[in-house]
Amino acid sequence: MHKVAVIGAGAMGSQIAMVCALAGKETVLTDLSSAALDLAESSLKEQIGKRIKKGKLTEQQATDAFALLTITASLEEATEDADIIIEAIVEKLDAKRELFSRLNGIVRSDAILATNSSTIVSSKLADVIDEPARVCNLHFFNPALVMELVEVVQGPHTSEETASNVYKFAQDIGKTPIKMEKEIFGFVTNRIVNTLFDEAIFLYENGYATIEEIDTACKKGLNHPIGPFELMDLTGIDVNYLIREMQYEETGRQEHKPQQSLRLLYEQGHYGKKTGKGFYEY
């Protein structure tokens, strides 16, 4: 797979696109919002500039990557010749289903359609595609330019050929993939880390320890690079809140509802690092 289309120019989508371009793939990044595309371009230039200064990239590598990256507001232009389309839009099922339905009439019949979602399994999108065998989850981790792991998830509709091709694609762009043989909400990594989030919030809300002390315990006692509250601020309070809402809708279990402190931050518009305030202030 040589030509990649990434839909959604937020922090994840823009970095996924740059990862592909840095790996030598012809890549197109698209979004409904021209402002989001402008912000993505400036943010990528800033991030790549920092990586050059740190010696992680050369000027030539950066130049070559940006030469391979096209940014457009046209979904048709971005996807019509793509070998693989990676969706990284808002974490809402209706929006993703609407997008996949639209893509069904645009993309090549042999193109792979992958969703970056870790909570919306691809079987919830596959029925709007004429050939659901080419639909799967390809979950990158934030920040995509740094994190090595990707999760390739084979839904009941996904062909073995699609799963194998996506696994190989992940290797081609320099990532370390794991393959899941079956779908489950949250996949491997997020199911484990969400359990950590739950316990951290329980300890904080019940007065056993402060946010700072819990984060310090995880960093110094478990050798985690950042604490659970720092991680929630990094990935986004809104993202974590919506994940809990979707999990509760799916299971109906009270313990899966967003916790009080998470809900309060979400309702106040404090989404973490990207808004300047979450569990911490930035």
Side-chain angles (χ1 to χ4, degrees):
M1 292 183 280
H2 301 292
K3 186 169 183 181
V4 183
V6 180
I7 305 174
M12 283 300 297
S14 61
Q15 290 197 31
I16 291 169
M18 181 52 67
V19 166
C20 295
L22 284 167
K25 305 290 185 183
E26 185 180 349
T27 306
V28 185
L29 176 64
T30 187
D31 196 287
L32 287 173
S33 167
S34 297
L37 291 170
D38 291 341
L39 180 61
E41 185 174 14
S42 62
S43 177
L44 285 175
K45 287 179 178 177
E46 180 182 353
Q47 291 174 70
I48 293 301
K50 290 179 180 178
R51 292 177 74 81
I52 292 171
K53 288 181 179 179
K54 292 178 180 179
K56 295 181 178 180
L57 284 176
T58 66
E59 291 276 4
Q60 189 59 55
Q61 286 174 316
T63 299
D64 292 345
F66 277 110
L68 287 169
L69 179 63
T70 301
I71 295 176
T72 177
S74 170
L75 182 67
E76 291 79 6
E77 179 184 337
T79 60
E80 60 182 356
D81 293 324
D83 300 310
I84 181 170
I85 296 94
I86 303 171
E87 170 272 312
I89 67 169
V90 64
E91 197 72 349
K92 294 183 179 179
L93 178 59
D94 289 348
K96 292 181 189 293
R97 284 181 61 83
E98 182 180 352
L99 173 61
F100 271 62
S101 180
R102 185 178 173 191
L103 289 172
N104 191 49
I106 300 173
V107 303
R108 296 194 334 240
S109 61
D110 61 339
I112 288 174
L113 294 166
T115 173
N116 180 56
S117 177
S118 65
T119 56
I120 298 173
V121 292
S122 66
S123 60
K124 293 186 176 182
L125 308 172
D127 63 299
V128 301
I129 301 297
D130 291 338
E131 296 179 23
R134 56 197 175 99
V135 179
C136 71
N137 285 81
L138 176 59
H139 176 226
F140 291 77
F141 289 80
N142 187 27
L145 278 167
V146 177
M147 300 296 285
E148 295 181 16
L149 181 69
V150 295
E151 294 172 319
V152 178
V153 187
Q154 184 172 0
H157 54 280
T158 308
S159 70
E160 185 63 44
E161 180 183 14
T162 294
S164 297
N165 285 340
V166 172
Y167 189 95
K168 177 65 165 55
F169 169 77
Q171 291 177 318
D172 287 345
I173 61 172
K175 296 302 183 183
T176 301
I178 63 164
K179 181 187 172 188
M180 293 189 66
E181 308 290 341
K182 296 194 298 182
E183 295 179 334
I184 188 170
F185 185 96
F187 308 150
V188 173
T189 310
N190 279 350
R191 288 185 71 85
I192 293 171
V193 78
N194 284 343
T195 302
L196 178 68
F197 290 163
D198 287 349
E199 190 60 28
I201 292 175
F202 171 82
L203 293 169
Y204 162 62
E205 288 187 347
N206 288 278
Y208 291 104
T210 66
I211 288 171
E212 292 81 3
E213 288 166 337
I214 294 166
D215 276 352
T216 298
C218 290
K219 288 185 286 187
K220 301 301 183 181
L222 301 177
N223 204 28
H224 291 185
I226 62 175
F229 292 102
E230 292 171 317
L231 182 54
M232 283 186 277
D233 275 359
L234 176 63
T235 56
I237 297 299
D238 53 333
V239 173
N240 287 282
Y241 174 85
L242 292 172
I243 286 172
R244 296 309 299 254
E245 283 279 274
M246 284 187 285
Q247 189 173 15
Y248 173 65
E249 288 175 11
E250 184 166 308
T251 66
R253 293 167 60 179
Q254 291 295 315
E255 64 266 30
H256 290 156
K257 274 188 171 182
Q259 300 92 332
Q260 181 180 356
S261 55
L262 194 66
R263 180 182 295 278
L264 183 60
L265 287 171
Y266 177 80
E267 291 175 349
Q268 292 176 339
H270 299 316
Y271 296 161
K273 202 166 185 179
K274 59 188 170 186
T275 61
K277 184 177 180 180
F279 287 107
Y280 292 92
E281 292 191 12
Y282 299 88

